[in-house]
């Protein structure tokens, strides 16, 4: 059967990211989301950490247009690039942090050689309406160019008491599915059982765990990732637990072994301790 061109393009790009239906994606948009305080002193230069991520074998990188352009000679032709097209700073008044603004355009992501685009929707936020408008505009244009759209489906807002509550996470994931996301990144719900229900709620749309704040004990982070993989997830999108680790390359290697080789935590813990 012959598919239309953009459908073929999307399938090919998704396969590049999820080569065996699984992926470890390195998230690196924290300079805008949280500010430079997130970066250890010796890792303020994006070229260093992006080089380590690629040399250690991550499956894709998710970052901003600005960082992608500063590092194009490192990632270009080697690894799929996912451009995040929404953002907010933590300099904003707290209430306004519930809104993700436009942070680039699909045509710029296409121009720079991206394989996918990403956008955050804070489901339940006071600004849900605005973010949905942005999401559908990004998704529609991305689809036209054959680019998959990853949604960071984060339940967040004054009405949400606990954004990690499994029922709340499931709601966000289901809403992401119904808004046409090709890949969904969401919070870990704290147990394999509860995350299995999250995966089921996605009805076959690939689910990736969001890394979150750096765990005090890095082995605990490996356990979280192992548990989402057991629950049927497709991998993880990880930032701080990689670039704030004393040895980001070994953290990446340990995560890759769990995600792609189904290794047990005990078998790879020595890499991160
Ligand atoms: P982490 O693994 O560091 O949590 O990165 C994932 C991510 O979604 C980033 O893409 C983004 O910058 C950050 O988390 C959002 O953080 P917050 O939840 O504090 O808004």
């Amino acid at each position: 059967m012959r598919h239309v061109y953009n459908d073929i393009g999307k399938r090919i790009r998704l396969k590049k990211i999820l080569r065996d239906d699984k992926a470890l994606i390195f998230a690196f948009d924290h300079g805008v989301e949280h500010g430079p305080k997130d970066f250890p002193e010796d890792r303020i230069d994006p070229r260093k950490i992006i080089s380590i991520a690629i040399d250690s074998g991550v499956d894709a990188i998710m970052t901003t247009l600005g960082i992608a352009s500063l590092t194009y000679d490192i990632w270009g032709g080697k690894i799929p690039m996912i451009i995040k097209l929404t953002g907010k700073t933590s300099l904003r008044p707290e209430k306004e942090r519930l809104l993700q603004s436009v942070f680039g355009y699909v045509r710029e992501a296409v121009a720079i050689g991206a394989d996918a685009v990403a956008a955050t929707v804070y489901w339940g936020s006071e600004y849900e309406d605005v973010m949905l408008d942005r999401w559908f505009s990004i998704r529609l244009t991305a689809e036209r160019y054959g680019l998959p759209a990853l949604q960071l489906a984060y339940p967040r807002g004054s009405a949400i008491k606990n954004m990690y509550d499994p029922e709340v996470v499931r709601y966000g994931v289901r809403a992401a599915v119904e808004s046409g996301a090709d890949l969904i990144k969401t919070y870990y719900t704290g147990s394999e059982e509860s995350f299995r229900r999250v995966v089921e709620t996605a009805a076959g749309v690939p689910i990736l765990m969001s890394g979150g704040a750096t765990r005090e004990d890095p082995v605990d982070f490996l356990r979280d990732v192992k548990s989402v993989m057991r629950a049927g997830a497709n991998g993880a999108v990880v930032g701080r637990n990689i670039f704030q680790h004393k040895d980001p390359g070994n953290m990446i290697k340990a995560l890759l072994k769990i995600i792609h080789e189904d290794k047990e935590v005990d078998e790879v813990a020595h890499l991160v301790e």
Side-chain angles (χ1 to χ4, degrees):
M1 183 177 50
R2 189 192 279 279
H3 294 277
V4 290
Y5 298 161
N6 58 345
D7 181 34
I8 294 169
K10 200 197 247 192
R11 284 164 192 253
I12 290 173
R13 292 183 176 100
L14 266 177
K15 195 72 199 163
K16 279 204 231 172
I17 297 167
L18 296 168
R19 59 188 158 94
D20 56 358
D21 285 333
K22 293 170 191 154
L24 172 64
I25 299 172
F26 179 51
F28 199 62
D29 57 331
H30 303 68
V32 58
E33 293 284 331
H34 298 158
K37 67 160 178 39
D38 263 19
F39 306 127
E41 277 302 307
D42 59 337
R43 295 185 201 147
I44 193 77
D45 178 356
R47 297 180 62 83
K48 279 194 195 164
I49 190 71
I50 300 264
S51 299
I52 293 172
I54 291 174
D55 292 347
S56 309
V58 291
D59 296 294
I61 292 176
M62 183 187 77
T63 191
T64 54
L65 279 162
I67 296 292
S69 68
L70 285 174
T71 57
Y72 77 92
D73 53 319
I74 305 173
W75 59 266
K78 291 204 189 108
I79 191 170
M81 174 55 69
I82 304 169
I83 298 290
K84 185 155 171 269
L85 293 175
T86 64
K88 60 117 186 27
T89 71
S90 298
L91 296 170
R92 287 181 182 182
E94 201 158 340
K95 187 171 154 278
E96 304 298 317
R97 292 181 210 160
L98 292 171
L99 171 68
Q100 286 259 327
S101 304
V102 172
F103 210 74
Y105 295 93
V106 176
R107 57 183 180 272
E108 294 180 286
V110 172
I112 208 165
D115 283 293
V117 291
T120 302
V121 177
Y122 294 141
W123 292 103
S125 151
E126 285 74 348
Y127 303 100
E128 190 186 85
D129 178 55
V130 181
M131 281 180 284
L132 280 177
D133 212 23
R134 284 183 189 147
W135 164 257
F136 277 99
S137 143
I138 289 169
R139 206 200 76 85
L140 182 72
T141 317
E143 181 126 313
R144 194 175 296 152
Y145 289 110
L147 292 188
L150 182 156
Q151 185 180 119
L152 290 81
Y154 290 175
R156 202 175 284 196
S158 58
I160 293 175
K161 291 188 185 63
N162 175 9
M163 59 196 196
Y164 306 107
D165 176 331
E167 281 311 309
V168 171
V169 172
R170 285 180 74 213
Y171 198 155
V173 162
R174 188 58 174 220
V177 170
E178 302 206 12
S179 64
D182 298 301
L183 292 158
I184 300 169
K185 168 178 190 278
T186 196
Y187 303 134
Y188 178 46
T189 48
S191 71
E192 183 184 327
E193 296 68 40
S194 61
F195 208 78
R196 183 165 294 119
R197 297 198 66 221
V198 171
V199 172
E200 283 164 9
T201 307
V205 178
I207 287 278
L208 302 154
M209 171 192 144
S210 182
T214 298
R215 294 289 228 117
E216 208 171 302
D217 181 349
V219 179
D220 284 341
F221 185 65
L222 299 183
R223 287 196 186 100
D224 294 349
V225 174
K226 183 71 196 177
S227 125
V228 300
M229 294 312 291
R230 280 213 184 100
N234 300 77
V237 186
V238 183
R240 288 164 287 180
N241 278 280
I242 290 175
F243 68 71
Q244 292 177 349
H245 188 266
K246 62 178 191 281
D247 186 343
N250 268 341
M251 175 53 99
I252 289 170
K253 285 177 193 151
L255 290 169
L256 287 170
K257 283 180 189 292
I258 289 172
I259 291 172
H260 290 293
E261 298 173 33
D262 200 21
K263 294 283 183 204
E264 296 301 325
V265 171
D266 288 351
E267 294 178 85
V268 297
H270 65 278
L271 289 167
V272 305
E273 279 166 335

